[in-house]
């Protein structure tokens, strides 16, 4: 068998030796041992893979299936599956891998999307439908650690607000990286003592290729693609190049790879932002809540006479009372069981019903350079460098009714008349006709750059046949630089005949605006009136914000082969993670809305948003007017805006974690010494975490340009963990393996929760308080699996798992008047929000947690037993079922729970499944993949009257094909979202009112690869 001599050193000991047609000489075809022979081999303890991602040889990365005499050469997608299957079989822990099917060719265009095929892995999509992060066995992205070339990394991007805006937590955003710069990924579902802690769900290893992986002295591969988005209607380029060269008879090598991608996307749809009960923004008059402007002659009168021009016939200045008694009584007659005396508490309406148009431009570059030196069979040393950069400009535009999300202070819902209205039996709005509605055309420009760089040095050396040392040192830096986040808007005040209509039975309503929203003359942009009426304006929304995470890792591991069937491993590690978030605030003088300059008309700084009606439907206007942000910036000299930082009360925080750990473990393999061969590992890991948290709390200071300054708060703490683990594999038959695993695991709280900061968002009347004294999330886990490798390249398996989560971290909400929060009134400047208004304030607390259990079924079958061309087919399929029972705190007083409930874990889909059907012969390859994810909770609790925010089920279908013109040239074609699936979010488990639904369309890719 021809095996890369570095296979053992890099971590792969049991794999199919495959051939690659990428040499610079005509000697392309090399024979490989038949898979039948490889599949029958079970690794011993002498060949147990290390905790680093399993290496893939160049042979693992070839495109096709060939025969030479009696030898079989397996290549392409089938080869990548076989290699991953053998890695799974050789490990004592439960893992699943995906390896490149060709040099510089990962099976999917996005790393997160590749992992949909892994049992128990569910994908969370972000803007434009692109895969962003994953959950494993029901545990969300914050519980999954990601290592890049063996070192823990951080990667954050921004996104639209509905998808969580900027990621400031521990969740890893895979869309930062182009897939072409990696050759393998491994999902490790059960821990071992030598695996660094921090994961409740899984540890994902991403590995870039190294020059001595390949059999050839020179390898060159290039790919060029064009990608077309169905909604954006643009063709964008994507290109990659890899060059690997060996010197000194294969003892030294250098590899360089690079990737460039430009992508333009468009997303259209509907958003409610939130669903509120009608009483939320109502006005209390004589102890009675009046959700809308009362009809003429109705008592008590709301708004009260004299409030902002209200009279017996006017809701406000120039705004007639047109509510009908029938419609008004319908609203106030609906009351929730928990609020039986509050009028309208059981009537639910969209907070900001609006149509959405989101356009995004991305530029993604990435590359790696690796130097590797292996002077002899006992020594291997390499330096990996890797860089990736994602530059995004997103432009969101909305046409919305804003009155339903405002109180009387902001001339909101109490000034709106209801003429006709109906609800379903659960209180969800089915139809409404309103007058006195403020309509806003809003634009948001968000530009951010996410970059990642890493350098790490590795050494592996066998001092003797029985003693081995490995060492690693590295540093990486992740930066999310929010360069701009600017909101501009124009308003039409007190418009009539606004409708919200769900009566066609769809999940999203038809909105009727009652006037021509494409005509700039119907909107205003001017300073607010003295009564608080807003006539258009702008906001710096979040301001420029920069998040930086610097990780350092230093470790040494020792391995001693005590006997032929037993090894002792021990080691120590020091890690430091330094997260810093720095925001800025504009000077107060820069935040005041000023009138348009003389000679400037509104039409001269606006543009039209068109096409949403054709792309999304459901009654969207053919066009609506919106501010042209570039023209607005030029008109108002946006480039001259000045900012200041913590000295002016801007949010600044730092979390520095210093982790010192040590482990000891044994690895054993009884081989043929027992009637039932057993192999595995057992050990314990000790971890000490030192945490340094810094935050700034805004306090009033008239001497600063913002009227605020940041008061520094510092909290230091430390805690210890002992984490035992064991993995045992029983070889019931040569092809039948039983896996048993158990461990204690921990995961640290999300970073933003640990910074001692506080703040509010005045327009939504929400606030946050953080908690640097949160305990880690700890759990006891157990896994049991049965795997049947019944024929070469094929597997049937089932695994069950159980996690007892002893403590969980949840944000607990309380309703508190702003003036009781201890924050300065200056935070409410220019918001028309009064200090006496009620804010919904959340604070993270350790809550009781709960239990999670599930099972997964996996099948990988090559159909080579079928006759003729049918033997080239294969099937991949998996199904995962997981349930949980987590105790949530819905309300508290002074941190003490007053209302609790039980529900599934946030981010958990009870059912998920993926299926792939593929065909591959010497020239042609095609496959299609369907991935289903059941509904899951996005947030709990939700707004008053609603128990949660959730994501509806969805099924995404992708397909790809390739054709080998020659051994050196191949054509490729891909389609993402073949069935034009939409993503839909909802609120409340019973009503399931739609919060957000967009269409992302299909994406088509054509390209070619060349290998020399």
């Amino acid at each position: 068998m021809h095996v890369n001599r570095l296979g053992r050193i890099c971590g792969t000991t049991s794999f199919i030796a495959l051939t690659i047609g990428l040499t610079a000489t005509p000697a392309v075809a090399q024979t490989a041992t038949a898979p039948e022979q490889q599949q029958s081999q079970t690794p011993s303890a002498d060949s147990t893979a290390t905790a680093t991602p399993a290496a893939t040889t160049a042979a693992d990365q070839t495109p096709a299936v060939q025969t030479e005499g009696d030898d079989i050469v397996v290549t392409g997608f089938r080869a990548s599956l076989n290699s991953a299957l053998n890695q799974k079989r050789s490990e004592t822990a439960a893992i699943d891998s995906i390896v490149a099917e060709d040099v510089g060719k990962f099976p999917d265009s996005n790393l997160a999307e590749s992992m949909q095929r892994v049992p128990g892995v569910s994908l969370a999509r972000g803007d434009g439908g692109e895969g962003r992060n994953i959950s494993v066995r029901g545990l969300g992205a914050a519980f999954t650690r990601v290592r890049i070339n063996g070192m823990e990394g951080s990667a954050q991007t921004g996104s639209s607000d509905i998808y969580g805006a900027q990621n400031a937590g521990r969740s890893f955003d895979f869309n930062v990286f182009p897939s072409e710069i990696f050759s393998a990924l491994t999902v490790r579902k059960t821990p071992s003592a030598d695996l660094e802690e921090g994961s409740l769900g899984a540890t994902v290893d991403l590995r870039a290729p190294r020059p001595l992986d390949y059999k050839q002295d020179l390898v060159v591969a290039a790919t060029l693609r064009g990608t077309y988005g169905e909604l954006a209607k643009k063709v964008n380029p994507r290109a990659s190049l890899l060059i690997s060269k060996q010197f000194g008879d294969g003892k030294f090598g250098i590899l360089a790879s690079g990737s460039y991608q430009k992508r333009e996307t468009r997303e259209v749809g509907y958003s409610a932002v939130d669903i509120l009960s009608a009483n939320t923004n109502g006005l209390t008059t004589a102890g009675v809540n009046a959700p809308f402007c009362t009809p003429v002659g109705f008592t008590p009168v709301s708004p009260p006479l004299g409030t902002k021009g209200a009279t017996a016939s006017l809701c406000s200045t120039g705004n007639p009372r047109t509510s009908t008694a029938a419609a008004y009584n319908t609203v106030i007659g609906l009351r929730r069981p928990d609020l039986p005396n509050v009028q309208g508490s059981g009537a639910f309406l969209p907070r900001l019903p609006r149509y959405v148009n989101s356009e995004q431009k991305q530029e993604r570059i990435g590359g790696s350079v690796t130097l590797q030196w292996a002077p002899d069979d006992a020594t291997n040393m390499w330096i990996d460098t890797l860089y990736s950069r994602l530059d995004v400009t997103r432009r969101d535009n909305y046409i919305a009714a804003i009155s339903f999300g405002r109180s009387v202070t902001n001339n909101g819902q109490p000034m709106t008349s209801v003429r006709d209205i109906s609800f379903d039996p659960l209180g969800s709005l089915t139809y409404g006709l309103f007058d006195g509605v403020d309509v806003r055309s809003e634009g948001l420009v968000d530009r951010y750059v996410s970059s990642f760089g890493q350098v790490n040095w590795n050494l592996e050396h066998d001092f003797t046949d029985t003693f081995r040392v490995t060492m690693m040192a590295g540093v990486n830096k992740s930066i999310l630089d929010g360069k701009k986040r600017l909101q501009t808007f124009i308003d039409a005040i007190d418009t009539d005949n606004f409708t919200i209509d769900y009566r066609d039975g769809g999940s999203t309503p038809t909105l009727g605006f009652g006037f021509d929203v494409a005509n700039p003359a119907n909107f205003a942009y001017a300073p607010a009136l003295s009564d608080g009426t807003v006539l258009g304006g702008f906001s710096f929304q979040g301001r420029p914000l920069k998040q930086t995470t610097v990780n350092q890792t230093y470790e040494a591991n020792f391995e001693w082969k005590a006997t032929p069937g037993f090894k002792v491993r021990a080691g120590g590690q020091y890690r430091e993670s330094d997260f810093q978030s720095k925001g800025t605030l504009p000077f107060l003088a820069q935040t005041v809305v000023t009138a348009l300059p003389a000679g400037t008309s509104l039409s001269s700084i606006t543009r039209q948003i068109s096409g949403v009606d054709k792309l999304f439907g459901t009654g969207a206007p053919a066009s609506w007017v919106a501010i042209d942000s570039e023209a607005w910036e030029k008109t108002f000299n946006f480039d001259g805006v000045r900012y200041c930082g913590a000295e002016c009360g801007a949010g600044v925080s730092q979390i520095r974690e210093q982790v010192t750990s040590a482990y000891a473990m044994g690895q054993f393999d009884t081989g043929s010494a027992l009637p039932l061969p057993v192999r595995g590992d057992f050990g314990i890991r000790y971890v000490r975490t030192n945490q340094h948290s810094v935050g700034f709390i805004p306090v009033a200071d008239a001497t600063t340009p913002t009227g605020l300054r940041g008061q520094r708060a510092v909290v230091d703490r430390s805690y210890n963990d002992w984490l035992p683990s064991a993995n045992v594999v029983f070889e019931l038959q040569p092809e039948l393996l039983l896996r048993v695993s158990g461990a204690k695991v921990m995961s640290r709280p999300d970073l933003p929760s640990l910074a001692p900061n506080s703040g509010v968002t005045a327009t939504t009347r929400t606030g946050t308080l953080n908690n640097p004294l949160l305990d880690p999330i700890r759990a006891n886990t157990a896994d049991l699996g049965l795997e049947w490798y019944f024929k070469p390249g094929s597997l049937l398996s089932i695994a069950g798992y159980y996690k007892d989560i002893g403590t969980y971290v949840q944000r607990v909400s309380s309703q508190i008047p702003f003036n009781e929060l201890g924050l300065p009134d200056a935070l409410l400047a220019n918001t028309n929000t009064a200090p006496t208004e009620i804010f919904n304030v959340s604070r993270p607390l350790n809550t009781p947690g709960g239990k999670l259990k599930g099972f997964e079924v996996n099948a990988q079958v090559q159909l080579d037993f079928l006759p003729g061309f049918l033997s080239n087919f294969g099937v991949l399929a998996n199904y995962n079922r997981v349930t949980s029972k987590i105790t949530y705190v819905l309300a508290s007083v002074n941190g003490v729970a007053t209302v609790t409930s039980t529900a599934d874990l946030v981010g958990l889909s009870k059912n998920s499944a993926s299926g792939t059907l593929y065909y591959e012969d010497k020239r042609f390859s095609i496959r299609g993949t369907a991935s289903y994810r059941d509904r899951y909770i996005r947030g709990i609790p939700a707004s008053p009257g609603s128990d949660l925010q959730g994501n509806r089920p969805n099924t995404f279908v992708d397909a790809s094909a390739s054709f080998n013109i020659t051994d050196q040239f191949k054509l490729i074609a891909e389609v993402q979202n073949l069935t034009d699936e939409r993503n839909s979010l909802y609120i409340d488990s019973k009503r399931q009112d739609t919060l957000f639904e967009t269409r992302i369309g299909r994406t088509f890719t054509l390209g070619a690869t060349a290998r020399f």
Side-chain angles (χ1 to χ4, degrees):
M1 181 177 69
H2 180 85
V3 180
N4 185 321
R5 65 187 183 84
L6 292 175
R8 179 178 60 83
I9 296 175
C10 295
T12 301
T13 57
S14 176
F15 56 90
I16 303 174
L18 309 170
T19 188
I20 184 163
L22 302 179
T23 175
T25 70
V28 175
Q30 300 182 33
T31 24
T33 303
E36 287 85 349
Q37 300 174 26
Q38 286 292 315
Q39 287 283 354
S40 65
Q41 299 178 7
T42 301
S44 68
D46 295 341
S47 61
T48 302
T50 66
T52 58
T56 57
T57 66
D60 293 327
Q61 303 172 353
T62 346
V65 178
Q66 308 171 26
T67 59
E68 296 185 10
D70 295 330
D71 293 322
I72 299 176
V73 180
V74 186
T75 55
F77 182 65
R78 192 187 301 269
S80 72
L81 296 177
N82 288 353
S83 180
L85 200 62
N86 280 279
Q87 292 173 25
K88 178 180 180 69
R89 186 175 184 179
S90 69
E91 288 275 359
T92 55
I95 74 160
D96 287 284
S97 301
I98 297 175
V99 299
E101 60 184 272
D102 204 343
V103 175
K105 173 65 171 68
F106 218 68
D108 300 274
S109 59
N110 178 283
L111 291 169
E113 290 167 7
S114 286
M115 283 185 274
Q116 293 180 104
R117 290 197 298 272
V118 173
V121 174
S122 297
L123 176 65
R125 296 177 183 267
D127 295 331
E130 187 175 34
R132 183 178 180 186
N133 45 50
I134 63 169
S135 67
V136 181
R137 291 179 164 179
L139 291 158
F143 301 116
T144 298
R145 298 276 64 76
V146 177
R147 302 192 303 182
I148 300 172
N149 291 332
M151 179 181 173
E152 183 172 4
S154 302
Q156 292 87 28
T157 60
S159 73
S160 56
D161 292 346
I162 196 70
Y163 288 127
Q166 289 181 323
N167 174 9
R170 299 185 191 270
S171 302
F172 190 93
D173 291 335
F174 289 89
N175 55 340
V176 172
F177 300 92
S179 62
E180 291 90 342
I181 64 176
F182 295 104
S183 62
L185 67 82
T186 299
V187 181
R188 302 181 179 276
K189 299 176 181 176
T190 63
S192 53
D194 59 346
L195 187 67
E196 59 198 49
E197 80 298 329
S199 167
L200 254 66
T203 296
V204 176
D205 279 314
L206 302 178
R207 184 191 185 279
R210 300 184 190 122
L212 301 189
D213 288 350
Y214 302 111
K215 297 176 181 177
Q216 291 76 27
D217 291 340
L218 176 65
V219 176
V220 180
T223 301
L224 179 63
R225 305 175 187 174
T227 301
Y228 175 80
E230 182 180 14
L231 302 192
K233 302 187 185 305
K234 300 285 182 67
V235 177
N236 300 133
R238 180 168 184 166
S240 64
L241 175 67
L242 181 146
I243 302 175
S244 178
K245 174 63 178 172
Q246 297 177 6
F247 305 90
D249 195 25
K251 294 182 179 180
F252 178 77
I254 181 170
L255 180 148
S257 71
S259 174
Y260 172 81
Q261 179 187 13
K262 182 178 180 181
R263 187 174 185 229
E264 295 175 85
T265 67
R266 187 177 185 185
E267 193 170 356
V268 296
Y270 163 81
S271 171
V273 179
D274 202 352
I275 301 292
L276 302 178
S277 54
N279 67 292
T280 303
N281 289 305
L283 176 69
T284 300
T285 304
V288 177
N289 183 278
F292 287 99
C293 181
T294 52
V296 173
F298 198 96
T299 57
V301 177
S302 178
L305 303 182
T307 303
K308 299 191 175 184
T311 68
S313 60
L314 297 176
C315 302
S316 58
T317 302
N319 177 24
R321 293 180 184 270
T322 60
S323 290
T324 64
Y328 191 86
N329 286 328
T330 296
V331 175
I332 65 174
L334 292 173
R335 308 181 186 194
R336 300 203 307 268
D338 59 322
L339 295 174
N341 298 320
V342 178
Q343 297 182 147
S345 61
F348 294 92
L349 299 90
R351 175 176 173 262
L352 294 176
R354 61 189 187 179
Y355 289 112
V356 178
N357 182 80
S358 180
E359 299 176 36
Q360 189 171 118
K361 291 184 178 180
Q362 298 179 357
E363 189 175 61
R364 184 187 284 113
I365 62 173
S368 68
V369 175
T370 298
L371 304 175
Q372 190 173 9
W373 181 49
D376 51 51
D377 287 341
T379 306
N380 185 25
M381 183 172 66
W382 66 91
I383 297 175
D384 289 318
T385 64
L386 185 143
Y387 178 78
S388 184
R389 184 176 188 268
L390 176 65
D391 190 332
V392 177
T393 299
R394 194 184 75 252
R395 300 178 182 275
D396 295 339
N397 284 98
Y398 312 99
I399 184 71
I402 60 176
S403 293
F404 305 100
R406 292 177 154 189
S407 65
V408 68
T409 307
N410 301 98
N411 294 5
Q413 188 175 296
M415 280 74 173
T416 299
S417 295
V418 51
R419 289 166 46 194
D420 190 10
I421 202 163
S422 60
F423 297 86
D424 71 11
L426 296 177
S428 298
L429 179 72
T430 56
Y431 175 75
L433 171 61
F434 307 91
D435 290 341
V437 175
D438 297 344
V439 172
R440 170 169 292 179
S441 174
E442 176 186 337
L444 176 65
V445 179
D446 190 5
R447 180 169 178 237
Y448 57 87
V449 177
S450 183
S451 60
F452 178 91
Q454 176 172 310
V455 179
N456 59 282
W457 168 85
N458 291 72
L459 171 67
E460 298 175 337
H461 181 68
D462 295 336
F463 283 91
T464 68
D465 290 340
T466 60
F467 186 70
R468 186 168 185 250
V469 174
T470 65
M471 303 177 71
M472 191 267 279
V475 60
N476 59 45
K477 187 175 186 178
S478 172
I479 301 175
L480 175 56
D481 189 359
K483 296 182 176 295
K484 179 197 293 186
R485 187 169 170 84
L486 173 67
Q487 175 196 38
T488 55
F489 52 90
I490 50 179
D491 290 337
I493 304 301
D494 294 337
T495 68
D496 295 335
N497 300 309
F498 179 82
T499 57
I500 309 174
D501 193 350
Y502 288 89
R503 293 176 299 183
D504 66 355
S507 57
T508 61
T510 297
L511 305 181
F513 293 92
F515 68 101
D516 184 4
V517 294
N519 186 353
N522 291 328
F523 291 86
Y525 182 94
L529 301 180
S530 58
D531 67 353
T533 301
V534 177
L535 300 174
F538 67 95
S539 167
F540 291 97
Q541 281 257 313
R543 301 80 60 187
L545 176 67
K546 190 171 185 178
Q547 297 172 187
T548 303
T549 304
V550 178
N551 294 313
Q552 301 178 61
T553 301
Y554 308 93
E555 69 175 41
N557 303 282
F558 308 92
E559 183 180 289
W560 174 50
K561 186 189 298 183
T563 69
F566 185 73
K567 291 180 183 179
V568 176
R569 299 195 66 205
Q573 184 187 71
Y574 173 82
R575 303 198 314 272
E576 180 176 295
S577 177
D578 191 346
F579 168 84
Q580 297 186 38
S581 176
K582 298 180 180 180
T584 57
L585 287 171
F587 288 8
L588 288 177
Q590 313 287 329
T591 63
V592 178
V593 177
T594 59
L596 292 171
T600 301
S601 66
L602 189 56
S603 61
S604 68
I605 63 167
T606 56
R607 64 190 184 100
Q608 294 292 321
I609 307 299
S610 58
V612 176
D613 59 327
K614 294 182 175 63
L615 298 177
F616 185 71
T618 66
S623 182
W624 73 80
V625 66
I627 285 183
D628 183 323
S629 62
E630 283 80 9
W632 181 91
E633 291 176 26
K634 183 177 180 180
T635 299
F636 291 99
N637 188 28
F638 179 74
D639 290 339
V641 174
R642 294 172 297 160
Y643 296 94
C644 56
E647 70 278 7
C648 299
V652 177
S653 60
Q654 178 187 16
I655 308 296
R656 185 174 67 239
E657 291 175 340
Q658 296 172 317
V659 179
T660 305
S661 61
Y663 75 91
M665 64 183 293
Q667 294 178 304
F668 63 92
D669 189 337
T670 65
S672 59
L674 295 177
L676 180 66
V678 181
R679 55 188 168 92
D681 62 71
F682 59 91
I684 191 166
R685 188 178 189 89
Y686 168 76
V687 184
R688 179 173 178 83
T689 305
N690 294 317
Q691 175 188 305
H692 176 70
S693 302
V694 180
F696 286 80
I697 299 172
V699 297
D701 189 339
T703 65
T704 69
T706 63
L708 300 167
R709 66 174 171 82
Q711 180 174 296
R712 194 168 186 261
V714 179
V715 178
D716 290 305
R717 67 176 302 215
S718 62
Y719 50 89
N720 304 314
D721 285 274
W722 291 90
L723 305 174
S725 62
N727 297 278
V728 181
V729 180
F730 299 90
E731 190 173 327
L732 306 179
Q733 296 291 334
E735 296 81 23
L736 187 64
L737 305 181
L738 175 67
R739 295 184 185 273
V740 181
S741 301
K744 182 177 181 180
V745 297
M746 60 88 78
S747 179
R748 297 175 179 88
D750 226 354
L751 293 170
S753 301
L754 296 174
N757 293 335
S758 63
V760 297
T761 303
T763 54
T764 58
R765 295 183 297 286
T766 57
T768 58
L769 301 174
N770 291 334
N771 185 358
L773 299 178
L774 289 171
D775 287 329
I777 301 168
R778 298 182 172 98
N780 295 317
T781 70
D783 290 74
L784 179 66
L786 188 65
E787 300 169 0
W788 181 29
Y789 298 85
F790 61 95
K791 62 187 301 293
S794 298
L795 165 71
L796 294 176
S797 68
I798 185 169
Y801 50 90
Y802 173 83
K803 300 179 188 291
D804 185 355
I805 302 173
T807 180
Y808 188 63
V809 174
Q810 181 208 337
R811 282 196 169 268
V812 178
S813 298
S814 300
Q815 292 191 321
I816 305 172
F818 176 84
N819 54 16
E820 295 181 13
L821 293 176
L823 298 174
D825 291 352
L827 290 173
L828 305 181
N830 301 320
T831 66
N832 294 318
T833 299
T836 56
E837 293 200 50
I838 302 295
F839 276 61
N840 195 44
V841 180
S842 66
R843 183 171 188 252
L845 298 172
N846 284 107
T847 52
K851 294 177 173 58
L852 179 150
K853 55 185 177 181
F855 69 91
E856 59 189 33
V857 181
N858 184 29
Q860 179 174 319
V861 182
Q862 296 187 11
L863 304 180
D864 49 9
F865 55 86
L866 295 176
F869 77 95
L870 295 177
S871 64
N872 295 320
F873 278 97
V875 176
L876 309 175
N878 67 75
Y879 168 74
N880 184 72
R881 169 76 177 181
V882 56
T883 60
S884 62
K885 189 175 183 180
I886 304 297
T887 300
Y888 291 97
V889 177
L890 302 184
S892 69
V893 176
N894 298 323
V896 179
T898 57
V899 180
T900 63
S901 71
T902 57
D904 283 330
L905 188 68
V906 171
L908 179 145
S909 294
K910 286 187 177 180
N911 300 284
S912 60
S914 174
T916 299
L917 176 65
Y918 67 91
Y919 173 91
E920 189 168 59
D921 60 27
K922 182 178 179 180
R923 290 286 186 186
F924 183 64
S925 175
I926 186 170
R927 65 178 178 268
T929 299
S931 297
Y932 169 79
R933 183 174 186 182
D934 205 349
R935 69 180 70 251
Y936 61 94
I937 298 172
R938 279 185 168 268
I940 189 170
S943 302
S946 301
D947 58 353
L948 56 83
Q949 291 185 6
N951 207 111
R952 289 194 174 102
N954 53 54
T955 302
F956 283 87
V957 180
D958 302 326
S960 64
S962 64
F963 180 76
N964 298 314
I965 300 175
T966 68
D967 288 338
Q968 286 76 37
F969 294 96
K970 177 170 63 176
L971 298 179
I972 54 177
E974 300 171 348
V975 183
Q976 279 84 43
N977 193 21
L978 191 62
T979 57
D980 198 14
E981 180 79 331
R982 300 181 179 188
N983 196 36
S984 182
L985 281 61
Y986 66 91
I987 189 170
D988 195 71
S989 58
K990 294 182 179 179
R991 299 193 319 274
Q992 296 191 19
D993 295 322
T994 298
L995 283 178
F996 180 78
E997 183 172 301
T998 60
R999 182 186 176 208
I1000 57 177
R1002 303 171 181 87
T1003 301
F1004 303 89
T1005 299
L1006 290 175
T1009 65
R1011 305 180 305 278
F1012 303 99

